Structures are given as C-alpha cells and as structure tokens.
Amino acid sequence: MVSRSYGVEDPRRPRGIRLPRRERRAQLLASALEVFVAHGYHAAAMDDIAERAGVSKPVLYQHFPGKLELYLALLDDACDTIIANCRAALESTNDNKQRVAAAMDAFYAYVAHDAGAFRLVFESDLTSEPAVREHVDRVTIECAGMITEVISEDTGLPAAAARLLAVSLVGISQVSARFWLTDSGGLSREQAVELVSGLAWRGIRGYPLTD
C-alpha cells in the first residue's frame, strides 16, 4: 500500500537487506523520528514508519512492541544526547562565565543541528502520558542537577537555593533556544548565545564565591 504521506518508497531504503540488529534499530529510529516530527505522535502510524524504513511491519515489531515503546526509545536517545552535551559543556572549563556560555550553547547547538529531535522532546503532543512526561522532565532534572553542584560548590548556597537557580538557568536555555529556532530575527546562533548567556551571567555572578 502506498503511504498517504510519502508516495513512493525511498530508494535509499531497499527492502530485503538484512542488517545487524544495532544498525537496523538505528535505521528504524531515524525513520520514526522523521514520521513523528512530521505528523506528531497521534497521527503517526507504524505502517508509515515501516514503509519509511523500507521494512515490513513484523520487522518493526521485532524491535519495538508498539508505537509508544518506539517513541520512548527516541526520547531516550534525544534526552541522553542533550544531557551529555550539557555535561561536556560544564566540564570544558573552570571559568564560570565560560561555563554559562558553554552550557547555553549546548542547547542552542542541539536545536540548530537536530531540530526534529528537539521538538520531539520539548514540544511533544503526548505529554499527558506519564512515561513521556518522565522522559521530558529528565532533561531538566539531570542538567539542573549538574549545574546545582557547580553553584553549590562555588557559592556555598543551600542546596534548595542552588537547585532553584540551576533549574532557572536550564529553563532560560530551553525556552530561548526554542524561540530562536522559530523566530531568530536574523540572529546567528553565536549572537543569540552571547546575548542570553550574558543575561544569565549578570544574574548568577551576583552570588559571592565561597572560600
């Protein structure tokens, strides 16, 4: 049956070729990402994903028992990437001003280079599903946890105060990056990061360093 969305099969995804399990899984996830981003969770169909990947539905179900499990696997990959990028940014320097800019750029870089996956995480149409909400919240929780440690160590603020500041910094990064993605106003990624990280740094540097 011809897909309602894609017309003819993609010749780059020929049927009948056996791939190692890991490669097949990666191929299925890439195809699913395209379909979910294009149509949203509810309108996406496993038929479309299988056709996009150039496999039969039984092959798709061998790897993922259902659409929700496939969606959660995509969320896992996307969340892992964002969290790893944030960790690398914080570990890239001991200069706190540069840390703020690097952490901010981690979000903007992810948006710029993988806009589809970013929308899957932060603009999901399935946030009422507890498992999806848990995955989406994991980005904020884990990134804020890493930033909390830095703030606590450098300022001596109580854990609750440091955590609130950390969550605020993550929120600024996420919201401003999403806005920039849809309405950059001609600002490059570098310009946007400089502006927003400058705003964040002017606020966070007001807390005195501890001995």
Side-chain angles (χ1 to χ4, degrees):
M1 182 177 68
V2 176
S3 167
R4 66 178 184 275
S5 305
Y6 303 112
V8 298
E9 292 182 7
D10 190 332
R12 295 170 299 176
R13 299 180 173 89
R15 292 183 182 272
I17 294 179
R18 295 183 62 86
L19 294 176
R21 184 171 182 83
R22 181 175 302 214
E23 290 182 28
R24 178 66 76 192
R25 177 183 170 86
Q27 178 204 24
L28 295 174
L29 287 172
S31 298
L33 176 62
E34 294 175 4
V35 176
F36 282 131
V37 169
H39 301 290
Y41 177 84
H42 295 292
M46 293 293 271
D47 284 323
D48 289 339
I49 295 168
E51 182 171 337
R52 186 65 172 167
V55 301
S56 64
K57 279 181 67 176
V59 169
L60 179 58
Y61 282 114
Q62 285 174 9
H63 293 263
F64 303 100
K67 186 166 71 167
L68 179 59
E69 289 78 10
L70 177 53
Y71 192 80
L72 292 176
L74 279 170
L75 283 182
D76 265 337
D77 285 355
C79 292
D80 287 345
T81 299
I82 299 172
I83 292 166
N85 290 351
C86 184
R87 180 179 293 108
L90 293 174
E91 294 175 350
S92 66
T93 178
N94 290 322
D95 182 288
N96 284 333
K97 182 178 181 181
Q98 293 178 15
R99 271 178 172 160
V100 170
M104 194 76 64
D105 188 56
F107 282 91
Y108 277 79
Y110 188 76
V111 167
H113 295 139
D114 208 343
F118 189 85
R119 287 194 173 97
L120 190 76
V121 177
F122 294 107
E123 298 175 8
S124 172
D125 60 348
L126 197 64
T127 52
S128 59
E129 168 64 43
V132 173
R133 184 74 258 166
E134 181 181 344
H135 279 68
V136 173
D137 288 344
R138 183 163 71 87
V139 172
T140 298
I141 292 169
E142 295 197 25
C143 289
M146 291 183 281
I147 297 171
T148 297
E149 292 181 9
V150 174
I151 294 174
S152 294
E153 291 173 1
D154 287 355
T155 67
L157 285 170
R163 183 170 178 77
L164 181 59
L165 290 174
V167 170
S168 299
L169 289 173
V170 173
I172 290 172
S173 303
Q174 292 179 7
V175 173
S176 63
R178 289 168 60 189
F179 181 83
W180 171 78
L181 178 64
T182 57
D183 186 5
S184 69
L187 293 172
S188 67
R189 180 183 119 204
E190 291 76 14
Q191 290 172 321
V193 169
E194 183 179 2
L195 280 170
V196 181
S197 64
L199 172 65
W201 173 245
R202 289 184 185 93
I204 200 68
R205 74 178 180 183
Y207 295 91
L209 298 177
T210 181
D211 294 331

